[in-house]
Amino acid sequence: MARKIKQNKYSLAVTLLLISLFWFAKNILFVHALSLETNILYVGTSSIGVGLIVGSMVAYKTSPFKMMISLLIYCILTFILYADVVYERYYDAILDFKTLSQTNQAGDVYDSIISLIYLTDLWYWLDIPLLLVALILLNKRHSLKKLKYLPPLLFLTGVAIIIFLSFTTLKPAYSDQYKVATAGVIPAHVYNAYTSIKPVEEPVVVASSQAVDEPVTIQEKFSFKQKLQKNAPNFGKYKGKNLIIVQAESLNEFVINLKVDGEEVTPVMNELLDTSNYYPNTYLQIGRGNTSDAEFVVNNSIYPMSDNGVYQRYPKNNFLSLANVLKEEGYETSATHGNKPDFWNRKAAYPNQGFDTFYHMDHKSIKQDEMIGMGISDESMFHQMVEQYKGMKKPFYNFIVSLTTHRPFELPTEYRKLDLPDHIKDTPTGNYLESVYYFDQALGSFITDLKANHLWDDTIFIVYGDHYGPVPKDAEEIKEFLDIDFDEEERFNIPLIIHHPDQKKAVRNEVIASQMDIYPTISQLMGITKPLVQFGTSLELDQPRYVGFYYETTPYSFYSKDYDYIASHTGVFEDGKCIRKTSGNSVNINYCQDDYKQLYSDVQLSRYLLEHNMIDKVYEIEDY
């Protein structure tokens, strides 16, 4: 009997070790994909914790049922890890439990999710059949009946290890990637779940736009920005004009003026540049809400501080948004999207954003006459909106979110009109270019309809990209086919075109800009005098600028005219790199310090205003 117990102990130990090693290997693979170094000691220890938790089920009175339960737990943990892998490829973060509120949208973006799954991902799953064999072999052994307290002991020890590592090795400032590299996937999730329930309060520091070290109140901060607008030469020049903003899905800047074998990818937008203001150095400002956060930023000029999208978390907040302000100026306001009204919670969020009417695929005035991908085609929606404009009170503001160029960029054959070389056709890059060409042609028809109905010359017309189309995996192919270095800065670079009424000349402005600067530009051109809360700066003003990020890359990184700051995953300013633009070399970190302080201040203030629903009360409250 003693010999059998010894054999069973040995078999159990081998099983626990195998589970731990398999889990350790998965974590190493993930961290390697993140281009970080693994903390072998901590990740190895957390893997042992996982091994003890999973293996505890079969430590006493083994049975096929308990064996399958152990395997099921391991499969669930593997699914969580793999979901993190796929999610990180698009959002540069791991999943948060708040993301569960978006599961109802999974069907709408199913094709997009599939496009982020790679064949090499099989490595994350190949250990499961091996583990099944190990559990079967263990099940054939006699159970350890004399050690009945062993299973709960193993389980509780495993849980203790995970909890201990979660709260002794991880810090609030760490990026999600660094948390995984430091302690492993499960401790990272445990720590994030805890901080989501009990957020770590960061101090709200107000930095002045005109001098970072100069004390300033919140009211003075935003009043200063509006004072600059009012003193600008073009202040109020287009007061009372219609406004149409087109947010183009997945539109990167590199496609503008791009030719492939002599064929223009964006001929309509290229021609539009001849009579518009163009800002080629504009960058995205999205959060976890992706497209919906891009539109939030454009309409509010505030950082989108929410782990599951501002529309999801703060739909009932009060906002000094563009639509709300223009309503007070006598505008009829509306928003347009060819998908379902509840996609990204737009139906619930739009009323407080100030949109009187939401035109969507189920709206009584909209026909589902041409469906492509996720909803009504861009061309159809553009045409139908011109018909709606005819009955709108003037002036009007219509915000349009395009849809057809949504990932995975696989248009039906009859809509593929771009003449591409054979070696580019049916590749991820080729499909993306086809989608962009489709949008460009639809935009051309839209502009033609506006001119035919005498709306063009009385309208400020804006087109910009919401976020990147290709993902980092596509960089090698883009370099091969288009000779473009699709690095992070190129990926974040989106086009911004602003056409003024009666504009006849092209203006190319190389200023560093972001989506956050669009609202201040409009409020200046329209002569808005109402006190506003805007973190961006009008593009009509010659002011120092930077584009800062909290999501999509390491938090508090930024681009500016002279320097780029690459924040460290540790969250410590001094651990980051300050890069001089002209040389591409690292310089003294202090060159980036002032803009970093300003960015940190603005991010924390944005979070505070959203969490406490204070945006419309900024000018009423004396003390923060």
Side-chain angles (χ1 to χ4, degrees):
M1 176 62 69
R3 183 179 178 184
K4 287 183 178 180
I5 292 177
K6 185 177 181 180
Q7 288 178 340
N8 292 341
K9 286 181 178 180
Y10 175 77
S11 179
L12 175 62
V14 170
T15 301
L16 296 178
L17 180 61
L18 276 177
I19 296 172
S20 301
L21 287 175
F22 287 157
W23 187 253
F24 180 69
K26 290 178 193 282
N27 280 263
I28 292 286
L29 187 61
F30 186 17
V31 174
H32 176 73
L34 298 174
S35 301
L36 294 174
E37 291 186 9
T38 306
N39 187 312
I40 300 297
L41 176 62
Y42 293 155
V43 174
T45 304
S46 71
S47 297
I48 291 173
V50 169
L52 294 176
I53 292 170
V54 174
S56 64
M57 291 297 300
V58 291
Y60 176 64
K61 290 187 178 180
T62 56
S63 68
F65 174 75
K66 290 185 177 181
M67 178 187 71
M68 295 310 298
I69 291 296
S70 290
L71 189 64
L72 177 62
I73 293 172
Y74 188 77
C75 287
I76 291 172
L77 294 178
T78 298
F79 179 80
I80 292 171
L81 184 148
Y82 184 64
D84 287 335
V85 170
V86 176
Y87 190 80
E88 197 278 336
R89 286 170 179 163
Y90 204 72
Y91 290 98
D92 205 55
I94 63 174
L95 285 163
D96 187 274
F97 80 88
K98 295 173 187 172
T99 311
L100 294 175
S101 65
Q102 304 166 25
T103 53
N104 62 319
Q105 300 176 176
D108 294 298
V109 295
Y110 173 79
D111 291 338
S112 299
I113 295 172
I114 294 299
S115 71
L116 297 170
I117 295 175
Y118 310 154
L119 183 61
T120 53
D121 293 346
L122 285 173
W123 286 108
Y124 290 103
W125 299 93
L126 286 179
D127 60 324
I128 291 179
L130 297 177
L131 180 59
L132 176 61
V133 171
L135 290 173
I136 290 174
L137 292 177
L138 175 65
N139 188 57
K140 290 183 178 180
R141 301 282 186 177
H142 293 288
S143 59
L144 301 171
K145 295 182 179 180
K146 293 188 176 182
L147 301 173
K148 62 181 179 179
Y149 296 111
L150 184 60
L153 179 63
L154 292 177
F155 181 82
L156 291 175
T157 302
V159 170
I161 289 173
I162 296 296
I163 293 176
F164 178 78
L165 286 173
S166 300
F167 296 102
T168 59
T169 66
L170 304 181
K171 298 179 180 179
Y174 286 1
S175 68
D176 280 357
Q177 296 92 329
Y178 196 66
K179 290 171 187 172
V180 172
T182 299
V185 166
I186 301 304
H189 276 292
V190 170
Y191 185 82
N192 283 357
Y194 175 78
T195 55
S196 293
I197 297 169
K198 188 178 181 180
V200 177
E201 292 290 338
E202 297 185 70
V204 177
V205 181
V206 182
S208 165
S209 299
Q210 58 268 44
V212 173
D213 295 327
E214 180 181 316
V216 62
T217 66
I218 293 178
Q219 293 90 340
E220 289 172 339
K221 173 186 178 69
F222 296 120
S223 294
F224 173 76
K225 287 179 173 289
Q226 282 196 270
K227 183 179 179 180
L228 289 176
Q229 290 185 29
K230 292 174 183 177
N231 293 331
N234 290 326
F235 182 76
K237 183 177 180 179
Y238 301 106
K239 189 176 186 67
K241 296 296 184 180
N242 300 321
L243 174 63
I244 299 174
I245 298 181
V246 178
Q247 177 173 288
E249 175 69 38
S250 305
L251 187 63
N252 275 100
E253 199 280 333
F254 75 82
V255 299
I256 305 298
N257 285 317
L258 176 68
K259 290 185 178 181
V260 181
D261 266 18
E263 292 289 322
E264 289 183 291
V265 177
T266 59
V268 171
M269 284 185 278
N270 296 347
E271 184 178 352
L272 183 60
L273 298 186
D274 294 337
T275 57
S276 303
N277 286 35
Y278 184 48
Y279 305 89
N281 296 318
T282 303
Y283 296 90
L284 56 77
Q285 279 287 0
I286 60 176
R288 301 286 167 75
N290 229 30
T291 295
S292 64
D293 275 348
E295 61 187 81
F296 169 79
V297 171
V298 168
N299 282 280
N300 291 273
S301 192
I302 299 172
Y303 286 90
M305 302 308 298
S306 170
D307 289 338
N308 61 337
V310 175
Y311 285 177
Q312 295 277 7
R313 187 170 182 184
Y314 305 110
K316 300 303 180 182
N317 274 21
N318 300 317
F319 297 97
L320 296 173
S321 65
L322 176 57
N324 276 320
V325 170
L326 290 183
K327 280 173 67 173
E328 294 182 11
E329 296 287 318
Y331 279 67
E332 180 172 338
T333 62
S334 60
T336 302
H337 190 252
N339 201 282
K340 299 173 184 176
D342 56 352
F343 190 60
W344 278 111
N345 208 33
R346 286 184 173 92
K347 184 177 181 180
Y350 274 169
N352 280 36
Q353 287 297 319
F355 294 116
D356 293 321
T357 308
F358 178 20
Y359 296 98
H360 49 79
M361 66 188 302
D362 297 330
H363 191 277
K364 62 181 180 180
S365 299
I366 298 300
K367 299 177 183 177
Q368 297 185 24
D369 54 356
E370 185 179 55
M371 307 295 288
I372 302 178
M374 292 174 60
I376 303 173
S377 72
D378 291 345
E379 185 170 14
S380 174
M381 287 303 295
F382 285 150
H383 177 73
Q384 292 191 63
M385 285 315 301
V386 173
E387 293 301 309
Q388 296 302 319
Y389 297 158
K390 294 177 184 179
M392 286 183 183
K393 181 185 72 175
K394 308 301 187 295
F396 66 81
Y397 166 38
N398 179 229
F399 181 81
I400 303 179
V401 181
S402 78
L403 183 63
T404 309
T405 49
H406 200 284
R407 171 168 288 280
F409 317 119
E410 294 178 356
L411 287 174
T413 304
E414 62 268 28
Y415 296 101
R416 300 183 184 187
K417 305 294 185 181
L418 183 61
D419 188 12
L420 291 172
D422 290 341
H423 70 283
I424 298 181
K425 288 181 178 179
D426 298 320
T427 65
T429 301
N431 291 340
Y432 177 66
L433 297 179
E434 289 276 15
S435 295
V436 169
Y437 183 78
Y438 167 85
F439 167 77
D440 185 75
Q441 295 298 295
L443 187 71
S445 297
F446 187 33
I447 293 173
T448 298
D449 284 350
L450 291 172
K451 290 178 178 178
N453 287 277
H454 309 291
L455 293 167
W456 182 253
D457 290 333
D458 206 33
T459 298
I460 299 174
F461 188 81
I462 300 176
V463 182
Y464 70 93
D466 63 347
H467 55 72
Y468 48 84
V471 293
K473 179 186 74 112
D474 303 319
E476 185 176 342
E477 186 178 272
I478 291 173
K479 179 64 176 177
E480 178 186 352
F481 293 159
L482 308 177
D483 195 27
I484 293 171
D485 293 319
F486 196 65
D487 55 14
E488 181 177 271
E489 191 162 344
E490 187 69 63
R491 181 158 48 100
F492 289 1
N493 192 191
I494 57 169
L496 170 59
I497 305 170
I498 301 179
H499 174 81
H500 301 154
D502 297 322
Q503 186 172 356
K504 304 300 180 186
K505 294 183 179 180
V507 177
R508 182 181 176 92
N509 192 332
E510 300 284 347
V511 66
I512 294 287
S514 78
Q515 293 165 339
M516 203 172 293
D517 300 322
I518 295 176
Y519 181 11
T521 304
I522 296 169
S523 61
Q524 179 198 320
L525 294 175
M526 290 188 166
I528 304 299
T529 58
K530 175 184 175 65
L532 300 175
V533 173
Q534 298 176 331
F535 286 87
T537 304
S538 171
L539 296 169
E540 298 275 313
L541 296 170
D542 183 16
Q543 289 287 306
R545 298 172 182 277
Y546 67 87
V547 178
F549 307 97
Y550 187 80
Y551 298 103
E552 293 300 309
T553 186
T554 316
Y556 304 112
S557 297
F558 64 78
Y559 305 144
S560 71
K561 178 183 177 182
D562 299 317
Y563 303 100
D564 289 345
Y565 176 68
I566 304 173
S568 168
H569 287 282
T570 65
V572 177
F573 169 69
E574 290 77 11
D575 291 347
K577 291 182 179 180
C578 189
I579 310 295
R580 192 188 300 276
K581 284 273 194 177
T582 53
S583 65
N585 297 325
S586 295
V587 295
N588 190 298
I589 197 72
N590 291 330
Y591 284 107
C592 289
Q593 188 172 37
D594 283 353
D595 284 342
Y596 175 85
K597 288 181 178 179
Q598 182 72 61
L599 172 59
Y600 183 89
S601 162
D602 288 354
V603 165
Q604 299 308 323
L605 183 53
S606 293
R607 177 184 283 120
Y608 176 84
L609 294 175
L610 286 168
E611 286 183 349
H612 298 277
N613 193 14
M614 297 289 288
I615 293 171
D616 66 331
K617 301 180 180 64
V618 163
Y619 293 95
E620 301 173 8
I621 307 300
E622 293 183 2
D623 186 14
Y624 282 79

